[in-house]
């Protein structure tokens, strides 16, 4: 498997590179979002190790609000990404007042799609991910609550932005499931989240007798670290490329 330029393959897809909105607030918060997410995870790590269930439950609210704000502020909703990704991108020659008004209107219009996308993600995503986690070795008869919370966190990180920018079209989701999307900030973060989760499972069976090795601390941590790394890589290093399976 390797990432290659989109021009190197004759691929006809409905998806395209998702660009961050061009307002100063959007550009700033796109970076601040990662800083907040990383700092929050670092500060909560010891609490996560000591009390996984209440910590993961409380953090769902915080991370959910953060992801919701990120989507509304920085990403084009699916209805706005067809043709032109943002109304703010068309206002290059407009006055400063018109730019601000246009940006505010875009944020307001993004609220309803973001809330609906979040609802769909939390309803559909966790059950699918729970089955996937169990197939990959998650406890089947124990730690049900922990696995459910892990699935919800991965859904928030990896699933919600995808639903928000790509909608629920079956043809588009076939491309997503087939890993045919061009890499961008959203898709890179999704790939990073899943890879980080997978790598996070490695320390669990090792005979180190550490408290932080218990389920699902390392997987949650790996998911968040992978999300941050993947988002940065998708935006700056691999943008426009695709995953090719040889």
């Amino acid at each position: 498997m390797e990432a290659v330029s989109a021009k190197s393959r004759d691929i006809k897809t409905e998806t395209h590179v998702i660009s961050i909105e061009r307002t100063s607030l959007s550009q700033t918060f796109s970076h601040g979002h990662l800083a907040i997410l990383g700092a929050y995870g670092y500060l909560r790590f010891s609490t996560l190790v000591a009390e996984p269930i209440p910590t993961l439950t409380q953090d769902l609210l915080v991370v959910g609000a953060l992801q919701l704000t990120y989507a509304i502020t920085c990403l084009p909703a699916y209805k706005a990404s067809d043709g032109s990704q943002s109304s703010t991108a068309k206002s290059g020659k407009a006055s400063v007042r018109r730019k601000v008004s246009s940006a505010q209107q875009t944020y307001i219009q993004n609220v309803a799609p973001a809330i609906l996308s979040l609802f769909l993600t939390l309803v559909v995503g966790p059950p699918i991910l729970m089955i996937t986690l169990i197939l990959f070795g998650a406890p089947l008869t124990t730690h049900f609550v922990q696995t459910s919370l892990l699935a919800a966190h991965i859904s928030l990180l990896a699933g919600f932005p995808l639903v928000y920018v790509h909608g629920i079209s079956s043809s588009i989701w076939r491309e997503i499931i087939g890993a045919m999307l061009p890499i961008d900030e959203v898709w890179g973060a999704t790939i990073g989240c899943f890879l980080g989760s997978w790598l996070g499972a490695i320390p669990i069976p090792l005979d180190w007798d550490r408290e932080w090795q218990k389920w699902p601390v390392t997987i949650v941590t790996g998911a968040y670290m992978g999300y941050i790394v993947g988002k940065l890589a998708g935006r700056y290093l691999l943008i426009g490329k695709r995953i090719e399976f040889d």
Side-chain angles (χ1 to χ4, degrees):
M1 183 180 72
E2 59 178 338
V4 297
S5 170
K7 296 181 179 178
S8 66
R9 296 198 301 167
D10 183 18
I11 300 176
K12 295 181 180 180
T13 64
E14 295 185 29
T15 51
H16 55 274
V17 171
I18 300 299
S19 301
I20 300 300
E21 297 282 16
R22 297 181 184 180
T23 66
S24 57
L25 175 61
S26 301
Q27 296 293 325
T28 301
F29 189 77
S30 178
H31 294 92
H33 165 250
L34 288 184
I36 296 171
L37 200 62
Y40 183 78
Y42 175 78
L43 294 173
R44 293 284 285 175
F45 183 75
S46 59
T47 308
L48 172 64
V49 173
E51 299 178 307
I53 293 178
T55 302
L56 288 173
T57 303
Q58 295 165 11
D59 288 353
L60 273 179
L61 298 176
V62 177
V63 176
L66 186 60
Q67 290 292 87
L68 195 65
T69 304
Y70 165 64
I72 293 172
T73 307
C74 303
L75 299 177
Y78 174 65
K79 62 181 179 60
S81 63
D82 190 12
S84 62
Q85 293 182 355
S86 170
S87 60
T88 58
K90 299 178 180 179
S91 57
K93 297 181 180 180
S95 64
V96 173
R97 180 178 298 177
R98 186 173 178 181
K99 285 183 179 180
V100 173
S101 176
S102 178
Q104 290 175 343
Q105 185 178 5
T106 299
Y107 299 150
I108 294 172
Q109 291 174 344
N110 286 348
V111 171
I115 293 175
L116 179 59
S117 298
L118 182 64
F119 174 77
L120 290 174
T121 299
L122 292 178
V123 169
V124 178
I128 295 174
L129 285 171
M130 276 199 66
I131 294 173
T132 304
L133 288 167
I134 290 172
L135 291 175
F136 273 84
L140 179 59
T141 58
T142 62
H143 299 80
F144 179 82
V145 176
Q146 291 93 324
T147 304
S148 300
L149 290 168
L150 169 62
H153 275 265
I154 294 176
S155 294
L156 274 180
L157 294 174
F160 166 61
L162 281 179
V163 174
Y164 178 74
V165 299
H166 292 299
I168 55 174
S169 168
S170 59
S171 59
I172 292 178
W173 275 88
R174 281 195 293 269
E175 294 179 17
I176 293 173
I177 295 172
M180 297 173 64
L181 274 65
I183 296 177
D184 50 37
E185 180 169 311
V186 175
W187 184 228
T190 298
I191 296 172
C193 181
F194 282 115
L195 285 177
S197 301
W198 179 63
L199 293 174
I202 294 176
I204 293 179
L206 300 179
D207 188 21
W208 292 345
D209 295 325
R210 303 291 185 180
E211 184 68 12
W212 52 262
Q213 288 179 270
K214 64 185 179 184
W215 181 267
V217 173
T218 57
I219 298 180
V220 173
T221 303
Y224 276 85
M225 292 177 65
Y227 176 87
I228 293 172
V229 173
K231 183 180 175 184
L232 290 172
R235 181 169 182 175
Y236 295 109
L237 300 178
L238 302 173
I239 187 166
K241 296 183 179 180
R242 298 179 188 268
I243 299 173
E244 183 174 285
F245 299 91
D246 292 329

